[in-house]
């Protein structure tokens, strides 16, 4: 739950952090866990510091938003027919467990990211390219071209901008947005394998290092999704991450069981 577009339950309020809290089932208990939010998560006006069980009638506060926990008994199926109880893994109320993305989807996302990244990489170097193009095609022969030192300083500045672009495209995409643009355009998400939430910056850096290890295997680590049931590549195993399809809503009774009012 939070303001980020990668959240399954998006709360559009400035007092709510981008990744505010996680709501999930633990057996038959509904549990809430704060995700390091700025304003904290409160249950019945008490700030929580650990996973906390919720019961009917509890008031869950995120920023200035107050959510009531209500049991809609008439809308819930019997335990034998409840699809939530048959679904494996931790997940948010009313949502199916995510399905791992196969090798074909991941390869397509990688190709799409390659194209998008290459096009975007032209922007940081636009000033340098403009000067080189003007020097070659627009300046008259008697005009004095920019000095080599000027070009070197400009190239250095463009390189710094490009490195910032790489950090935003890859690391920020992994850490906060649930994946790079190529992944998200295909409806895929990069998440923590256990809690199914965005991985954060430290895990993103760890995944970047793990990706180097995968390259050192001469590409064999990239082929692991073809043989593993969880469709994880070597860098996913090392970093504790998973690439999945976006969650699908169960709809009906399960979704209606939690429809908290906003005050």
């Amino acid at each position: 739950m939070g303001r980020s577009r990668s959240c399954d339950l998006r709360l559009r309020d400035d007092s709510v952090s981008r990744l505010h809290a996680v709501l999930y089932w633990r057996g038959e208990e509904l549990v809430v866990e704060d995700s390091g939010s700025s304003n904290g998560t409160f249950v019945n006006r008490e700030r929580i510091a650990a996973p906390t069980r919720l019961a009917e009638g509890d008031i869950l506060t995120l920023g200035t938003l107050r959510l009531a926990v209500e049991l809609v008994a008439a809308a819930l199926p019997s335990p034998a027919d409840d699809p939530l109880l048959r679904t494996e893994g931790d997940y948010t109320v009313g949502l199916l467990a995510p399905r791992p993305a196969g090798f074909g989807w991941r390869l397509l996302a990688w190709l799409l990211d390659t194209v998008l990244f290459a096009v975007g990489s032209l922007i940081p170097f636009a000033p340098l390219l403009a000067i080189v193009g003007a020097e070659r095609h627009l300046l008259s022969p008697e005009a004095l071209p920019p000095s080599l030192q000027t070009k070197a300083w400009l190239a250095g500045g463009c390189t710094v901008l490009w490195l910032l672009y790489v950090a935003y495209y890859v690391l920020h995409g992994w850490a906060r947005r649930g994946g790079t643009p190529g992944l998200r355009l295909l409806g895929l998400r990069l998440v923590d394998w256990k809690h199914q939430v965005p991985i954060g910056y430290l895990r993103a850096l760890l995944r970047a290092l793990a990706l180097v290890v995968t390259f050192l295997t001469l590409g064999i680590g990239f082929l692991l999704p073809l043989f593993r049931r969880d469709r994880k590549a070597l860098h996913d195993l090392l970093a504790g991450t998973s690439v999945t399809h976006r969650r699908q809503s169960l709809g009906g009774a399960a979704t209606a069981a939690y429809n908290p009012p906003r005050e």
Side-chain angles (χ1 to χ4, degrees):
M1 300 183 292
R3 287 188 294 110
S4 173
R5 293 182 179 179
S6 63
C7 290
D8 294 306
L9 297 180
R10 190 179 182 191
L11 305 173
R12 301 186 181 183
D13 190 281
D14 291 338
S15 65
V16 177
S17 297
R18 291 177 56 82
L19 304 173
H20 199 107
V22 183
L23 189 68
Y24 59 92
W25 287 106
R26 185 172 60 192
E28 296 184 355
E29 296 180 340
L30 181 62
V31 178
V32 63
E33 181 177 352
D34 187 74
S35 299
S37 61
S38 300
N39 295 323
T41 301
F42 296 78
V43 176
N44 297 329
R45 299 186 179 182
E46 293 186 5
R47 187 165 185 165
I48 63 172
T52 302
R53 182 178 65 87
L54 295 174
E56 182 182 6
D58 285 345
I59 300 298
L60 179 61
T61 305
L62 287 72
T64 60
L65 298 184
R66 298 178 64 203
L67 295 80
V69 180
E70 299 179 357
L71 175 63
V72 187
L76 295 177
S78 64
D81 300 326
D82 191 348
L84 290 176
L85 298 181
R86 297 200 305 267
T87 305
E88 297 179 355
D90 293 334
Y91 47 89
T92 305
V93 169
L95 300 167
L96 289 170
R99 177 166 54 91
F103 178 79
W105 281 102
R106 298 180 64 145
L107 178 60
L108 185 60
W110 182 82
L111 294 174
L112 183 57
D113 268 324
T114 300
V115 174
L116 294 176
F117 181 81
V119 173
S121 293
L122 297 176
I123 298 176
F125 289 99
L128 182 61
L129 294 175
I131 286 183
V132 173
E135 180 182 356
R136 177 171 299 182
H137 301 290
L138 299 179
L139 294 181
S140 58
E142 63 274 7
L144 185 64
S147 67
L148 184 61
Q149 184 179 7
T150 301
K151 293 179 182 178
W153 278 104
L154 185 59
C158 291
T159 301
V160 171
L161 291 177
W162 181 78
L163 291 175
L164 292 175
Y165 167 70
V166 172
Y168 181 83
Y169 191 100
V170 179
L171 295 180
H172 179 73
W174 286 355
R176 294 299 186 188
R177 300 185 63 82
T180 53
L183 284 171
R184 291 186 285 112
L185 285 174
L186 294 178
L188 306 178
R189 290 183 62 188
L190 173 67
V191 293
D192 176 271
W193 73 272
K194 185 176 181 180
H195 297 293
Q196 301 299 318
V197 296
I199 62 178
Y201 289 106
L202 290 179
R203 187 75 66 84
L205 288 172
L206 176 61
R207 192 173 194 268
L209 295 175
L211 193 60
V212 174
V213 176
T214 303
F215 275 109
L216 293 178
T217 65
L218 302 180
I220 297 177
F222 290 104
L223 301 178
L224 289 184
L226 291 172
F227 309 101
R228 292 184 58 89
R229 190 173 183 180
D230 56 11
R231 301 294 187 260
K232 290 183 180 180
L234 178 59
H235 45 280
D236 291 312
L237 295 173
L238 295 175
T241 59
S242 179
V243 177
T244 66
H245 294 273
R246 286 191 63 86
R247 297 177 186 266
Q248 298 178 347
S249 174
L250 288 172
T255 304
Y258 283 87
N259 187 18
R262 170 175 172 172
E263 295 186 358

